[in-house]
Amino acid sequence: VAPGSGIFAVFHAGWRGTANRIVEKGVSKLLEVSGAKAEEVLIAFGPCIRKCCYEVGEEVKRAFAAARQEVSRIFSGPFLDLVEANRRQLFRLEVTRILDSNLCTACRTDVFYSYRRERTPSRIWTIAGFKEPSESPS
Ligand SMILES: [Zn+2]
């Protein structure tokens, strides 16, 4: 969210998007379009699969290395930390106001669907918008 501009953006950043820096590119565009300063922008990470559960293959690690990402900082063995990878992209833009739900969709199948954990066809939706300013009672 670029406060005061009426502009926000939502990104789905799976491993391919994260390797290709979709958040860095998208937030860079948000800064450009909104005119907001990096320190004004507010980021929120929603529920997603986390490093506790996101075991990936060597091809994923190779894709991040090929994209010149800090593999040693975002992988722990075969486990990928997507949030940390995206956080590092934001820091490159000097965006540091970051909220994190800290919710892992694979750990919390009591609340969320997880394709990886359950092979469910059900999906999570993310809906974003601005709240209508409330009118004061007359
Ligand atoms: Zn988990």
Side-chain angles (χ1 to χ4, degrees):
V1 177
S5 70
I7 298 174
F8 65 87
V10 178
F11 305 100
H12 172 84
W15 77 260
R16 287 180 184 84
T18 300
N20 288 300
R21 302 184 186 276
I22 189 170
V23 166
E24 187 173 336
K25 292 172 184 169
V27 173
S28 180
K29 189 72 176 176
L30 175 72
L31 291 168
E32 177 190 323
V33 170
S34 69
K37 294 182 171 73
E39 63 267 24
E40 297 170 334
V41 171
L42 179 62
I43 303 293
F45 286 114
C48 61
I49 193 164
R50 302 276 169 160
K51 62 182 177 184
C52 46
C53 296
Y54 199 27
E55 187 172 1
V56 296
E58 278 299 315
E59 75 284 5
V60 174
K61 198 177 280 190
R62 282 195 298 271
F64 276 82
R68 297 177 176 273
Q69 300 225 17
E70 297 171 271
V71 169
S72 66
R73 300 206 185 261
I74 59 177
F75 282 87
S76 177
F79 292 91
L80 170 58
D81 188 342
L82 280 176
V83 172
E84 182 59 23
N86 283 293
R87 193 187 312 270
R88 288 179 171 277
Q89 292 177 28
L90 292 165
F91 287 168
R92 283 164 56 101
L93 299 172
E94 299 182 357
V95 171
T96 57
R97 293 178 69 201
I98 300 171
L99 304 172
D100 188 354
S101 68
N102 288 307
L103 292 166
C104 175
T105 50
C107 284
R108 296 297 309 274
T109 53
D110 58 321
V111 196
F112 302 108
Y113 298 117
S114 172
Y115 179 76
R116 177 164 282 250
R117 175 69 46 96
E118 306 169 297
R119 299 293 173 209
T120 175
S122 301
R123 293 292 183 262
I124 295 172
W125 287 64
T126 297
I127 299 173
F130 287 109
K131 187 176 174 184
E132 188 81 23
S134 58
E135 292 180 30
S136 54
S138 52

